């Protein structure tokens, strides 16, 4: 039949829309105009496939499979069929069951009965990969739609993306036709403390006892209030290091006030102040990459990058060098060769993990891959940045 069908994973669609518009994946954070949404899906599907719409299947979950008010509104709209899985509570959170299986079954049935020529999937779940492969064998074209991600990254399974015949991204403007953030000002702010009151241990002073001096009566009230105000989040070691002990510092102040932060390296625990170099101040790739560039990078990773460890290191270095500002000086890295700055090195290895690298037998790290990845990074840097390291003769002369 020369018709198209749309299958919507409501959890993915509404969760991604909430992340983009409200900053949180909870669908309760957005208000949805369901008739406008269904109209937008139908118009987009008919335009992109060039075929009339047969039906929109809406897959969602509900407690005891009982339709919620939004499901009742949806199922009375023209050309809409609602399929519900179970919504159960597991380990303190809600989990949907049976939605993927229902989508897979519907896909197979549509293809087997030749009910449509094109199917549009609005989902990101890689569990549908067998169903997509099955309908393609029956001659059905698969269109995979993604919603624009809040962080600019992919929010779909890469395997599912690779199996689809056509792919589209539904951008913010399209989403804002039918969704908007809910007003949160009407609700009172919940108290910060959510645990029952209990005796609290006395806080450990951040400075040695000898250095702590009681605050004089003339201390400014604002400073006293700032010190006594409870933290609204669990402090990190960095937060604690930046907080002063109650009261003004003694006179004369000690040379090193507050705890000393340390960081780990392959050489053991060392002082960051003693090992940090000018190269450590260079930005990471994530900081200088735009949302559009993230999409383009992931496209290149899927279609062009083979996954050879050295090639992966070169690709990472190329992107980083291309996006550095003109004022940055990547030549600073040569002063630390072969060491790559700590944050940049960690980002490089995380990027390599996307290609299945670093994983070895029994989940052990393959050091040879690490060496090859870093070698590729330095190889690209050597081709793009003049080598300012002193020569062996110059080092001997010095």
């Amino acid at each position: 039949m020369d018709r198209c069908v749309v299958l919507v994973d409501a959890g993915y669609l509404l969760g991604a829309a909430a992340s983009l518009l409200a900053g949180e994946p909870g669908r309760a954070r957005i208000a949805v105009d369901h008739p406008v949404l269904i109209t937008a899906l139908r118009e987009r599907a008919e335009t992109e496939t060039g075929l009339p719409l047969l039906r929109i299947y809406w897959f969602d979950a509900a407690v005891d499979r009982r339709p919620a008010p939004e499901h009742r509104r949806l199922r009375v709209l023209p050309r809409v069929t609602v399929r519900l899985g179970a919504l159960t509570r597991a380990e303190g959170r809600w989990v949907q069951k049976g939605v993927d299986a229902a989508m897979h079954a519907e896909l197979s049935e549509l293809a087997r009965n030749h009910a449509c020529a094109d199917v549009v999937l609005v989902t990101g779940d890689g569990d549908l990969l067998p169903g997509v492969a099955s309908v393609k064998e029956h001659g059905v074209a698969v269109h995979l739609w993604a919603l624009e991600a809040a962080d600019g990254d992919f929010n779909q399974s890469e395997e599912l993306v690779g199996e689809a015949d056509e792919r589209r991204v539904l951008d913010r403007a399209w989403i804002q036709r039918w969704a908007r953030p809910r007003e949160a000002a009407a609700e009172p702010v919940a108290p910060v403390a959510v645990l029952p009151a209990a005796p609290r241990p006395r806080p450990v002073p951040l400075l040695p006892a000898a250095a702590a001096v009681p605050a004089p009566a003339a201390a400014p009230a604002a400073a006293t209030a700032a010190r006594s105000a409870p933290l609204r989040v669990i402090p990190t070691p960095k937060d604690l290091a930046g907080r002063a002990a109650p009261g003004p510092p003694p006179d004369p102040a000690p040379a090193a006030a507050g705890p000393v932060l340390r960081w780990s390296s392959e050489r053991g625990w060392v002082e960051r102040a003693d090992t940090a170099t000018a190269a450590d101040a260079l930005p990471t790739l994530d900081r200088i990459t735009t949302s559009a560039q993230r999409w383009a990078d992931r496209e290149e990773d899927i279609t062009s990058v083979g996954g050879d460890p050295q090639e992966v290191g070169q690709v990472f270095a190329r992107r980083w060098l291309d996006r550095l500002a003109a004022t940055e000086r990547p030549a600073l890295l040569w002063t630390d060769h072969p060491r790559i700055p700590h944050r940049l090195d960690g980002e490089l290895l995380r990027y390599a993990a996307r290609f299945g690298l670093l994983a070895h037998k029994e989940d052990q790290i393959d050091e040879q891959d690490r060496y090859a990845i870093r070698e590729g990074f330095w190889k690209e840097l050597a081709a793009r940045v003049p080598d300012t390291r002193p020569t062996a003769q110059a080092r001997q002369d010095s």
Side-chain angles (χ1 to χ4, degrees):
M1 288 271 185
D2 291 337
R3 295 176 295 189
C4 68
V5 172
V6 180
L7 278 69
V8 179
D9 181 347
Y12 168 79
L13 176 71
L14 301 180
S19 294
L20 183 65
L21 300 183
E24 297 179 14
R27 63 171 72 184
R29 304 296 298 173
I30 57 173
V32 178
D33 189 334
H34 291 94
V36 175
L37 168 58
I38 295 303
T39 300
L41 287 169
R42 178 172 185 168
E43 292 174 352
R44 185 78 178 240
E46 291 182 339
T47 299
E48 294 204 3
T49 64
L51 301 173
L53 177 75
L54 172 62
R55 191 172 295 115
I56 295 175
Y57 289 90
W58 185 272
F59 294 88
D60 205 357
V63 178
D64 296 331
R65 300 181 189 268
R66 296 177 184 173
E70 70 176 64
H71 302 139
R72 296 190 180 96
R73 289 192 295 268
L74 281 164
R75 66 184 183 182
V76 299
L77 295 176
R79 303 292 181 114
V80 177
T81 296
V82 177
R83 298 278 190 260
L84 294 179
L87 192 63
T88 60
R89 196 156 185 89
E91 299 181 356
R93 62 189 184 94
W94 291 103
V95 180
Q96 62 182 25
K97 300 290 186 181
V99 174
D100 297 335
M103 293 186 72
H104 179 90
E106 200 68 57
L107 270 174
S108 300
E109 198 68 20
L110 289 168
R112 189 180 304 112
N113 295 326
H114 304 286
C116 60
D118 290 54
V119 62
V120 175
L121 290 176
V122 186
T123 184
D125 198 337
D127 290 342
L128 283 179
L129 188 63
V132 171
S134 176
V135 299
K136 288 173 66 177
E137 292 176 358
H138 286 83
V140 177
V142 178
H143 303 252
L144 183 64
W145 290 359
L147 268 69
E148 180 180 344
D151 57 1
D153 206 346
F154 267 34
N155 53 14
Q156 290 180 307
S157 163
E158 289 190 13
E159 291 76 15
L160 191 64
V161 169
E163 191 68 24
D165 296 306
E166 301 284 347
R167 291 181 293 146
R168 293 291 182 273
V169 178
L170 308 176
D171 59 15
R172 180 187 291 267
W174 187 87
I175 297 169
Q176 288 175 332
R177 290 176 55 187
W178 50 268
R180 60 177 176 80
R182 289 187 185 276
E183 297 294 337
E187 300 181 1
V189 178
V192 174
V194 295
L195 297 177
R200 296 175 120 181
R202 294 178 61 85
V204 179
L206 298 178
L207 291 176
V213 178
T224 304
R227 288 193 298 269
S228 61
L231 289 174
R232 291 186 175 271
V233 296
I234 298 174
T236 65
K238 185 176 181 181
D239 296 329
L240 294 176
R243 298 183 72 199
D251 190 17
V260 176
L261 288 181
R262 299 176 181 271
W263 66 302
S264 62
S265 73
E266 296 177 358
R267 298 187 297 275
W269 289 95
V270 294
E271 301 292 345
R272 187 178 183 90
D274 295 340
T275 59
T277 64
D280 287 296
L282 291 172
T284 59
L285 178 61
D286 181 69
R287 283 181 51 195
I288 55 178
T289 301
T290 65
S291 297
Q293 287 171 332
R294 286 192 181 94
W295 274 97
D297 290 349
R298 190 59 67 93
E299 289 281 342
E300 183 184 13
D301 291 344
I302 295 173
T303 59
S304 303
V305 182
D308 175 75
Q310 192 170 119
E311 178 192 10
V312 168
Q314 287 184 272
V315 170
F316 181 91
R318 170 173 55 79
R319 293 172 183 169
W320 182 67
L321 292 169
D322 287 343
R323 294 165 195 172
L324 279 176
T327 56
E328 304 291 351
R329 296 173 55 198
L332 291 171
L333 288 176
W334 287 122
T335 61
D336 294 337
H337 182 273
R339 172 187 175 270
I340 300 176
H342 183 69
R343 292 179 300 125
L344 192 64
D345 186 55
E347 189 180 40
L348 169 62
L349 296 179
R350 287 192 298 272
Y351 169 68
R354 295 181 185 176
F355 302 93
L357 299 174
L358 311 183
H360 200 48
K361 293 181 179 179
E362 301 178 355
D363 296 328
Q364 298 297 314
I365 298 300
D366 189 342
E367 289 296 329
Q368 295 303 318
D369 279 352
R370 287 178 178 262
Y371 296 147
I373 292 164
R374 290 162 175 155
E375 182 183 359
F377 179 91
W378 286 111
K379 183 177 180 180
E380 182 68 20
L381 195 74
R384 302 277 297 277
V385 179
D387 189 348
T388 58
R389 291 173 294 174
T391 62
Q393 184 62 42
R395 287 194 294 268
Q396 291 177 0
D397 293 342
S398 61

